[in-house]
Amino acid sequence: MESFLPGAASLADCVDKRLMVVLRDGKKLTGILRSYDQFANLVLQDTYERIYVKSSYGDIPRGVFLIRGENVVLLGEMDAGSQGISLQELSIEDILLLHSEEMERKEHIEKLKADLLRKKGLVPLAMGSLSALDGFN
């Protein structure tokens, strides 16, 4: 039976392996895990920020990256020989352009939703904002 180490100690098997880390802000980083501590703070080497847009992706080189453990949502080892979903790799400029267009489209949709809610007499709250409830104190 394999031994199980709870918490950050279970990262010992991942040192010197390529990992993908998903952060709270939605960023996806890939890099080689070089170090970690009891708070699951991570040091990644040869780090790339990977941006996905539909069936394409682009990698932006970031170098050595220190990640505070509380910002990690998901962490996993990357399989170098994986034959998963085929995605088209784009240049940094192309993926950033597609990403900004996608973000503008999403913002436009959110604005339309908020306008619709206002027309129905509802007040949409901004992410992380409770300013609409200030009058109830």
Side-chain angles (χ1 to χ4, degrees):
M1 181 173 148
E2 286 187 37
S3 63
F4 173 73
L5 299 171
S10 61
L11 290 172
D13 293 339
C14 297
V15 173
D16 296 332
K17 293 184 181 170
R18 181 160 291 278
L19 303 178
M20 176 174 273
V21 181
V22 179
L23 303 178
R24 283 191 333 192
D25 65 359
K27 287 186 174 128
K28 292 151 192 83
L29 303 171
T30 64
I32 300 169
L33 180 65
R34 292 299 183 199
S35 184
Y36 66 94
D37 65 10
Q38 71 269 25
F39 304 108
N41 296 320
L42 309 173
V43 176
L44 296 180
Q45 183 182 14
D46 298 329
T47 305
Y48 289 86
E49 180 180 349
R50 183 164 281 188
I51 297 174
Y52 295 96
V53 179
K54 298 182 182 175
S55 62
S56 303
Y57 75 95
D59 288 335
I60 302 171
R62 298 293 188 196
V64 175
F65 217 86
L66 175 64
I67 303 170
R68 187 175 171 107
E70 66 182 18
N71 291 318
V72 175
V73 174
L74 182 68
L75 177 136
E77 188 176 344
M78 293 186 67
D79 184 8
S82 176
Q83 296 294 326
I85 300 171
S86 62
L87 299 173
Q88 178 185 6
E89 184 174 5
L90 299 177
S91 69
I92 294 171
E93 295 82 16
D94 291 341
I95 199 68
L96 289 175
L97 179 65
L98 282 175
H99 186 254
S100 66
E101 290 172 356
E102 182 76 10
M103 295 307 293
E104 287 174 10
R105 186 184 71 75
K106 287 181 179 180
E107 286 175 14
H108 179 70
I109 290 171
E110 287 301 315
K111 185 179 181 309
L112 291 175
K113 286 180 185 178
D115 290 344
L116 183 62
L117 287 172
R118 277 191 206 93
K119 286 179 184 175
K120 294 187 180 254
L122 301 170
V123 180
L125 294 177
M127 285 293 283
S129 170
L130 294 177
S131 60
L133 300 177
D134 288 342
F136 294 108
N137 289 337

